Amino acid sequence: MTAAAPVRLGTRGSSLAMTQSGLVQRALEELLGAPVDLVRVRTDGDRLTGSLAALGGAGVFVAALREALLDGRCEVAVHSLKDLPTGSTEGLVIAAIPEREDPRDALCARDGLTLEELPPGSTIGTGSPRRAAQLLAARPDCTVVDIRGNVETRLRRVARAADQTGEAPPVVADGPSDAHPSAAPDALGDQPGTGAHGELHGTAAGGDLDAVVLAAAGLHRLHRLDVVTQYLDPALVAPAPGQGALAIECSAEVIAEGGPLARALAVLDHLPTRLAVTAERAVLERLEAGCAAPIGALGRVVGSRLRLDVVVCKADGTSQMRTSASVTLPDGRDAQVEAAAHLGRRVAEQLLDSGVATLAPVGPTAPPAPARRPLTGWRVLVPRGGEWGDRVVTLLAAQGADAEVVPLIEFAPPLELTMLDSALTGLALGIYDWVTITSGTTVPYLAARAPLHVGAASGETPDPAVALAALLGNVQVAAVGPGTAAALERIGVVADLVPAGERSARGLLAEFPPPPPDGGGQGLTARVLVPHSDLAEPTLAHGLREAGWQVDDVVAYRTLSGASAGNELREAVRSGAFDAVLLSSASTVTNLVELVGTPPEGMVVCCIGPRTELAALELGLPVHVIPESASAEGLVEALARYAQEVPRP
């Protein structure tokens, strides 16, 4: 690779990940004198829902980025170091660990409260078992709530301040100042703000939590230190191993070649930070504990010595074990790195000898016996085909069910295309700030018209997916849920917003940002494009207008009754051949009843949401299952829970 060749830098698509990767991008561009392009990669951690610990820990954010390195989609990738599993990946190396940000955790509480000042019974949100255990140890009279979502989503869950002045709360200075003198050098230092943010105090309707705990480093990089009410002393809440540090990973070949990229990465590597995190991660590796284990560790280089403090907690916070050790660093970089690793292993051995395994799941454990899948033996009717039907069949199979897809609805382009084409022209002209995609079905119908609005000057007709990706390239994209986000990703578009909570128009509205004042400083109207089905409720468009956005809502496709499945399906349903039916829209309800009548007693009727439930009840169908999340995943998960709780008919 030559210095002039573009370098592709892999990153997750979240705001924090993009901000962190942007710092590395600019540093590499300065060192290489060549462009560095960001390549957004969607990971399982971004796509899946539920407890982070249940998903396998923070390592779910890493695998897809490493695959992108190994298959050549990018030359380097940026990780939050605390997300990296301790095991190495063949062919890849952590080439640089830039200077660490503030490693502490930060409390963001209502009314400017500190941890000590929170009233008994207060609720504190975190997705980290480590934080949860230490918070419970410090405040056993509080309740810790498991949460997911990006930084802004978590902050919005904190209750409104008692006073409505809108002023930021005081910051409790119990250590380094807000300026963070330990922050990275200019190449990786502060960058301009990322735009207007909803304030934590005195703004939107009150949240459901009294406080959340987040990494101070992430808040600093996002320029959100205004929400911090207390930096938590590591002696009280020890940070995760590697917290506050970034890891720049690349193929071993890049380093072996010793070219400009390898030399640039060597410049970005900060030895004191590498030594500290090497010791911290060596503790995890020796204890054979994952990055979601309730273990905190902090290494610090002071003069010629490296000190390591470690805490291992019981998950409920009722007991913990702390230990510290230090080592004098020898001469030579490689010898120092090995000394740091040895220090971490030594501390881990001390913990094991002291019986730490009684507090936390450390050391080798036998894999649990596979559980019987809850839908084993069930036959499920899926009256909707296409990509959605295929996904449901896969999800049902994972739960043990056999599924049969019999499409009872079909889709078609709008009868009148003028408004849709006008909206796509607006996308090409850049008049929109956002476009919302509320169904995966929307994507192919937008793509079918996109070539008419791209490449006209050259006379070329681009591929529909490529054309739509080009139109969406300069606008922020919101997807109603992971399935819709996946449909976008297949054409090369990574959604900027996917609700962490309810996957519906209401859920999207709850997490949608407010319009920027004065059109973002350009004197323009903040504008959103909302393409949808002809049968879609106006909830999203109305809500966005009430929030101050100018909204263009257009019909992207029509929903039609599918072809009759005939007597064979009618007899199969009436004879009780199916144990359950999954109804994904009011149309599927109507068409099912028209075709087969009322399903027999004992057939479990599952409706994806309230509108579908209402249609079913109006036509006399009993409704047994409604998911909390209106998605394919939510529907199948809800049926699986029902099968576990209610004896099979």
Side-chain angles (χ1 to χ4, degrees):
M1 179 176 299
T2 66
V7 172
R8 295 165 299 174
L9 188 153
T11 176
R12 290 174 56 206
S14 71
S15 296
L16 178 57
M18 292 293 289
T19 299
Q20 293 176 162
S21 297
L23 301 178
V24 176
Q25 176 192 32
R26 289 184 284 275
L28 284 175
E29 286 180 335
E30 183 177 339
L31 291 166
L32 292 170
V36 175
D37 298 331
L38 292 182
V39 177
R40 291 196 287 185
V41 177
R42 191 165 179 81
T43 73
D44 279 350
D46 302 308
R47 179 175 57 82
L48 299 175
T49 61
S51 164
L52 185 60
L55 294 176
V60 296
F61 295 120
V62 174
L65 284 169
R66 285 181 161 170
E67 288 176 8
L69 285 172
L70 292 170
D71 65 22
R73 280 177 283 160
C74 54
E75 283 74 46
V76 291
V78 177
H79 309 279
S80 290
L81 185 59
K82 69 176 181 178
D83 291 347
L84 279 181
T86 54
S88 60
T89 297
E90 185 176 357
L92 300 180
V93 294
I94 299 176
I97 302 175
E99 187 170 359
R100 190 181 210 167
E101 259 285 3
D102 188 338
R104 294 174 297 174
D105 286 315
L107 183 78
C108 306
R110 63 176 176 85
D111 305 326
L113 297 173
T114 66
L115 184 61
E116 296 79 8
E117 294 167 346
L118 284 170
S122 293
T123 52
I124 307 172
T126 176
S128 161
R130 169 193 58 83
R131 288 177 181 142
Q134 293 183 87
L135 289 168
L136 288 171
R139 289 296 308 270
D141 57 336
C142 290
T143 299
V144 177
V145 179
D146 184 64
I147 60 173
R148 287 288 309 275
N150 59 32
V151 170
E152 291 299 331
T153 297
R154 296 187 187 207
L155 290 175
R156 281 196 291 270
R157 294 190 63 177
V158 178
R160 181 195 296 265
D163 94 38
Q164 300 296 304
T165 62
E167 295 178 358
V171 172
V172 178
D174 62 354
S177 71
D178 291 353
H180 291 290
S182 62
D186 290 345
L188 293 175
D190 264 320
Q191 301 297 328
T194 56
H197 297 279
E199 296 296 323
L200 173 61
H201 300 273
T203 56
D208 61 324
L209 301 175
D210 295 293
V212 294
V213 176
L214 302 167
L219 292 170
H220 184 223
R221 290 175 180 134
L222 288 173
H223 305 278
R224 291 309 319 268
L225 293 180
D226 58 295
V227 300
V228 177
T229 59
Q230 182 185 13
Y231 293 103
L232 298 176
D233 190 324
L236 182 71
V237 180
Q243 183 161 303
L246 302 179
I248 309 176
E249 195 169 36
C250 68
S251 73
E253 292 179 5
V254 167
I255 302 304
E257 290 171 359
L261 178 55
R263 293 193 293 272
L265 292 171
V267 172
L268 296 183
D269 193 53
H270 184 247
L271 182 57
T273 298
R274 183 177 282 272
L275 296 177
V277 300
T278 295
E280 295 163 14
R281 287 164 57 78
V283 174
L284 282 186
E285 186 172 25
R286 177 61 190 91
L287 293 180
E288 299 184 55
C291 43
I295 297 174
L298 182 60
R300 286 166 284 192
V301 175
V302 181
S304 61
R305 294 189 65 79
L306 171 63
R307 176 185 172 89
L308 178 62
D309 300 305
V310 179
V311 59
V312 181
C313 308
K314 198 169 184 178
D316 61 6
T318 54
S319 59
Q320 55 184 239
M321 190 177 294
R322 291 181 179 267
T323 187
S324 301
S326 62
V327 65
T328 299
L329 295 169
D331 294 333
R333 179 186 184 281
D334 291 345
Q336 291 181 358
V337 172
E338 178 51 38
H342 178 74
L343 175 64
R345 291 191 293 268
R346 176 158 59 91
V347 169
E349 292 288 353
Q350 292 172 359
L351 289 166
L352 289 169
D353 291 343
S354 300
V356 72
T358 62
L359 297 183
V362 298
T365 56
R372 183 181 184 274
R373 293 178 293 179
L375 295 178
T376 298
W378 284 60
R379 188 180 181 202
V380 181
L381 174 62
V382 182
R384 176 178 170 183
E387 193 172 293
W388 192 91
D390 292 342
R391 187 162 77 253
V392 168
V393 169
T394 300
L395 293 167
L396 286 168
Q399 298 285 0
D402 292 323
E404 183 170 339
V405 176
V406 182
L408 298 182
I409 59 172
E410 297 175 352
F411 304 104
L415 292 174
E416 189 0 83
L417 294 166
T418 303
M419 290 185 65
L420 179 59
D421 283 334
S422 177
L424 293 173
T425 298
L427 276 178
L429 294 175
I431 69 171
Y432 295 107
D433 299 274
W434 283 86
V435 59
T436 61
I437 307 296
T438 54
S439 166
T441 306
T442 307
V443 176
Y445 284 96
L446 292 180
R449 304 297 296 176
L452 301 176
H453 304 271
V454 175
S458 63
E460 298 178 354
T461 302
D463 175 81
V466 173
L468 180 57
L471 289 177
L472 297 177
N474 294 317
V475 66
Q476 294 188 89
V477 180
V480 76
T484 303
L488 286 165
E489 190 172 348
R490 281 189 284 276
I491 67 167
V493 175
V494 177
D496 299 279
L497 171 62
V498 182
E502 182 181 344
R503 299 165 186 171
S504 67
R506 291 188 302 273
L508 195 54
L509 279 172
E511 300 186 29
F512 207 84
D518 191 28
Q522 304 298 316
L524 304 174
T525 302
R527 199 164 181 173
V528 183
L529 173 62
V530 182
H532 54 78
S533 160
D534 61 329
L535 300 182
E537 294 283 356
T539 304
L540 181 58
H542 286 178
L544 290 172
R545 289 190 181 102
E546 290 179 357
W549 289 96
Q550 179 172 325
V551 178
D552 293 344
D553 60 310
V554 300
V555 173
Y557 63 94
R558 292 179 295 140
T559 304
L560 310 174
S561 296
S564 171
N567 292 330
E568 185 176 346
L569 176 63
R570 183 182 300 111
E571 292 306 315
V573 171
R574 290 178 176 176
S575 67
F578 293 101
D579 300 289
V581 59
L582 303 187
L583 299 171
S584 60
S585 67
S587 299
T588 56
V589 175
T590 302
N591 295 346
L592 179 68
V593 173
E594 287 180 354
L595 182 64
V596 304
T598 302
E601 184 179 355
M603 185 174 182
V604 178
V605 177
C606 312
C607 294
I608 199 167
R611 187 181 177 206
T612 306
E613 178 195 21
L614 180 61
L617 294 175
E618 288 178 344
L619 291 176
L621 272 65
V623 177
H624 304 91
V625 175
I626 304 175
E628 295 179 2
S629 172
S631 65
E633 292 81 2
L635 194 55
V636 173
E637 289 170 5
L639 176 59
R641 286 195 299 271
Y642 178 89
Q644 291 175 311
E645 296 168 1
V646 180
R648 186 178 175 189

